Amino acid sequence: MERIFHTPEGVRDIYNGECSQKRKVQERIHRVFHQYGYEDIETPTFEYFEVFSREVGTIPSRELYKFFDREGNTLVLRPDFTPSVSRACATYFSPDQEPVSLCYTGNTFINNSSYRGRLKETTQMGVERIGDESADADAELLAMTVECLLAAGLTEFQISVGQVDYFKSLLKEAELNAEAEERLRSLISQKNAFGVEEFVEEQKLKEGIAKAFVEIPQMFGSTEVLEKARKLTNNARALEAVARLREIYEILKIYGYEKYVSFDFGMLSKYQYYTGIIFQAYTYGTGEPMIKGGRYNGLMKHFGKPAASIGFAIEVDNLLLALSSQKIISEKEEKRSVIQYGPADRTEAIAKAQKLRAEGHSVALRLKKEVR
């Protein structure tokens, strides 16, 4: 039988300078989490299937890594931290009495199709603010997103902010069936304006709601988009969603970070548990978002403790790719000193190495090979 020593498809080894740089970036981001008062939490790498079931609204079951324990329970390698942290919060905390601020670092596992070219194991860092439904909490997480990217070394990036409730309120008004809803969601996510036009004609939607759906894929940009969204509908819930975005933007101006934010009403996440705002952070050098986040006010109910919540996850691998592409970090190995010594010089060599290490230098001791 042939022995296989290379990594499976979709996973990779990280070593030398790249590994060192990854650790440094993670440390800088972790510092931002703590500066905002977030506390560390570690959740298991695998959980019961129910934590990530369809009712929760996470990724499709076919993309989960599933296996069984000795008792026959179905277990899942975590594809997403938010349900795990929510489950832990419901177990150990009381977010109904006091908001809970938690941060995490770890790997997630998604059985992506090999045709997508994406890694199946990736590193995520993120935060969850549980038990706080305020616009201030929304703005705080957007401010943290900005500071995490600045701490990592980026200077040019943009955070696109969407509003799930705006779209959902219009969907409810349109009274579409589940299949039609999914088709419309897909067309809007793809920014396929012509496809949306054909769709609303097929569905024979009322003029006002049809116009709103046709406009949504093109509704992205600065604050003028908020005014356009407001004028497109009289739906009370949709108007509340727009007003919420306006309030968040005004709070962000206090932080001084509004220049990094734009709005995109066509942004719709594959995670069905999101409510309210959702957001993604982009820069050049990578086509994938570096950070994804949003509000999920209904998720904690699944775990027995209803609580309004918001969080974000940093895709560390995508962030490192962007930093490397922009020449902000180098994957060269960190400079270190090497002290070679023979048996007769051992005491002196160790003393010298320890002195240099105490001063903060990186020192490797190497025993000289005997020449025969």
Side-chain angles (χ1 to χ4, degrees):
M1 181 176 176
E2 183 183 353
R3 302 177 72 182
I4 301 174
F5 293 110
H6 58 78
T7 61
E9 181 183 325
V11 297
R12 60 189 287 258
D13 298 312
I14 301 174
Y15 52 95
N16 288 349
E18 182 183 1
C19 191
S20 175
Q21 290 293 349
K22 182 174 182 178
R23 300 282 187 217
K24 286 180 181 177
V25 169
Q26 288 177 306
E27 287 171 8
R28 293 173 195 158
I29 292 170
H30 194 231
R31 196 175 302 123
V32 174
F33 293 169
H34 281 190
Q35 286 170 344
Y36 273 78
Y38 284 69
E39 299 180 15
D40 293 299
I41 187 170
E42 290 186 6
T43 59
T45 304
F46 56 89
E47 303 249 16
Y48 287 117
F49 173 72
E50 287 72 21
V51 175
F52 303 103
S53 64
R54 184 176 180 181
E55 290 76 22
V56 175
T58 186
I59 70 169
S61 177
R62 66 180 179 276
E63 295 185 3
L64 298 172
Y65 281 100
K66 298 186 285 286
F67 56 100
F68 302 98
D69 63 12
R70 290 176 182 269
E71 289 72 39
N73 298 305
T74 304
L75 304 177
V76 174
L77 289 178
R78 63 174 174 235
D80 174 18
F81 268 95
T82 298
S84 287
V85 175
S86 297
R87 189 264 314 148
C89 182
T91 305
Y92 307 112
F93 298 92
S94 300
D96 56 325
Q97 298 176 18
E98 181 71 25
V100 180
S101 300
L102 301 171
C103 61
Y104 60 82
T105 299
N107 286 7
T108 57
F109 307 84
I110 299 178
N111 194 11
N112 292 310
S113 166
S114 57
Y115 299 111
R116 295 188 192 177
R118 295 177 182 171
L119 288 172
K120 299 185 177 185
E121 178 184 15
T122 59
T123 302
Q124 285 190 356
M125 300 183 72
V127 298
E128 310 293 347
R129 175 82 170 162
I130 301 170
D132 190 340
E133 62 181 352
S134 68
D136 292 78
D138 295 347
E140 178 180 281
L141 262 75
L142 289 171
M144 287 180 71
T145 299
V146 172
E147 290 198 25
C148 285
L149 294 175
L150 291 173
L154 286 175
T155 55
E156 296 183 44
F157 54 86
Q158 196 68 27
I159 303 168
S160 293
V161 180
Q163 198 4 307
V164 173
D165 281 346
Y166 187 86
F167 176 70
K168 285 184 175 180
S169 63
L170 297 181
L171 272 182
K172 188 174 182 180
E173 186 178 334
E175 298 180 335
L176 299 172
N177 60 43
E179 185 180 344
E181 279 188 15
E182 187 55 39
R183 185 181 162 204
L184 178 59
R185 182 184 297 273
S186 176
L187 289 169
I188 289 176
S189 294
Q190 296 166 12
K191 299 285 190 285
N192 187 346
F194 295 111
V196 175
E197 283 185 33
E198 290 180 0
F199 173 87
V200 297
E201 287 177 9
E202 289 173 10
Q203 298 292 321
K204 296 181 171 55
L205 299 178
K206 295 177 183 176
E207 184 179 350
I209 194 74
K211 183 181 179 183
F213 283 141
V214 169
E215 291 290 336
I216 283 177
Q218 304 168 70
M219 286 168 55
F220 53 88
S222 192
T223 50
E224 71 275 0
V225 176
L226 301 181
E227 184 61 22
K228 183 175 182 180
R230 189 182 66 80
K231 290 179 177 179
L232 270 176
T233 180
N234 292 319
N235 185 298
R237 188 180 171 197
L239 292 175
E240 284 177 11
V242 177
R244 175 81 167 208
L245 287 178
R246 174 70 69 178
E247 184 180 3
I248 292 166
Y249 186 77
E250 292 302 318
I251 298 171
L252 267 179
K253 286 164 72 173
I254 299 172
Y255 282 97
Y257 292 147
E258 74 278 7
K259 69 178 181 179
Y260 296 104
V261 170
S262 61
F263 300 98
D264 184 355
F265 281 82
M267 182 191 302
L268 304 172
S269 175
K270 66 179 179 180
Y271 293 136
Q272 297 300 308
Y273 55 65
Y274 280 130
T275 60
I277 74 161
I278 57 173
F279 54 93
Q280 297 180 350
Y282 293 91
T283 188
Y284 61 90
T286 173
E288 296 289 329
M290 301 171 291
I291 299 181
K292 297 178 182 179
R295 180 162 283 284
Y296 51 97
N297 288 349
L299 182 58
M300 285 291 292
K301 183 179 179 181
H302 180 80
F303 300 107
K305 283 190 180 177
S309 310
I310 183 171
F312 68 71
I314 301 171
E315 298 285 350
V316 177
D317 303 276
N318 287 345
L319 175 57
L320 288 168
L321 178 61
L323 292 170
S324 180
S325 298
Q326 296 181 30
K327 303 291 190 293
I328 292 171
I329 63 170
S330 168
E331 293 178 3
K332 291 180 181 178
E333 207 165 351
E334 185 180 340
K335 186 178 180 181
R336 62 179 178 176
S337 301
V338 177
I339 297 176
Q340 292 188 324
Y341 65 97
D345 307 318
R346 181 181 292 118
T347 301
E348 182 184 346
I350 292 176
K352 183 178 180 181
Q354 290 295 79
K355 181 177 182 296
L356 289 169
R357 288 166 182 162
E359 294 171 356
H361 300 288
S362 176
V363 182
L365 283 170
R366 296 288 182 265
L367 183 63
K368 292 179 182 176
K369 292 183 179 180
E370 294 182 17
V371 180
R372 297 181 180 180

